[in-house]
């Protein structure tokens, strides 16, 4: 299961609420090697959701994981970091 820090839930929730028809975010993880992954975070609308998705309700938004990414994200955590380069 993937977790979100309180800051990540707040900031992502604020962003999702501004987008009409947005249900949440999809996080994908694709293995590139034994210990290397590439990650994607995209917005999800009703047409993007799939019955095969694993869905985690996080209050103001949902997190969608496609079946191929679930094992790769086991124990992962999403945080919100802000620095001079952005957030």
């Amino acid at each position: 299961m993937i977790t979100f820090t309180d800051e990540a839930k707040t900031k992502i929730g604020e962003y999702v609420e501004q987008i009409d028809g947005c249900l949440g975010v999809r996080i994908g993880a694709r293995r590139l090697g034994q210990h290397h992954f590439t990650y994607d975070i995209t917005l999800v609308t009703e047409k993007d959701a799939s019955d095969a998705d694993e869905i985690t309700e996080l209050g103001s938004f949902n997190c969608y994981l496609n079946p191929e990414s679930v094992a790769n994200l086991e124990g992962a955590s999403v945080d919100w970091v802000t620095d001079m380069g952005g957030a």
Side-chain angles (χ1 to χ4, degrees):
M1 173 157 185
I2 191 168
T3 60
F4 286 70
T5 65
D6 290 339
E7 181 75 5
K9 285 193 274 189
T10 298
K11 294 295 187 178
I12 294 169
E14 289 170 358
Y15 187 76
V16 165
E17 288 175 352
Q18 295 177 19
I19 310 296
D20 286 339
C22 188
L23 303 174
V25 294
R26 176 180 306 283
I27 301 180
R30 190 169 39 110
R31 184 179 292 276
L32 296 177
Q34 186 173 359
H35 301 289
H36 294 90
F37 295 87
T38 183
Y39 301 96
D40 296 307
I41 298 178
T42 57
L43 298 175
V44 176
T45 62
E46 197 169 309
K47 68 180 177 80
D48 301 320
S50 168
D51 290 338
D53 288 333
E54 180 177 300
I55 302 170
T56 302
E57 296 180 11
L58 297 164
S60 61
F61 68 97
N62 293 331
C63 176
Y64 296 79
L65 303 177
N66 59 31
E68 299 81 26
S69 295
V70 171
N72 294 335
L73 291 167
E74 184 66 34
S77 178
V78 176
D79 194 6
W80 188 272
V81 178
T82 303
D83 61 21
M84 291 175 50

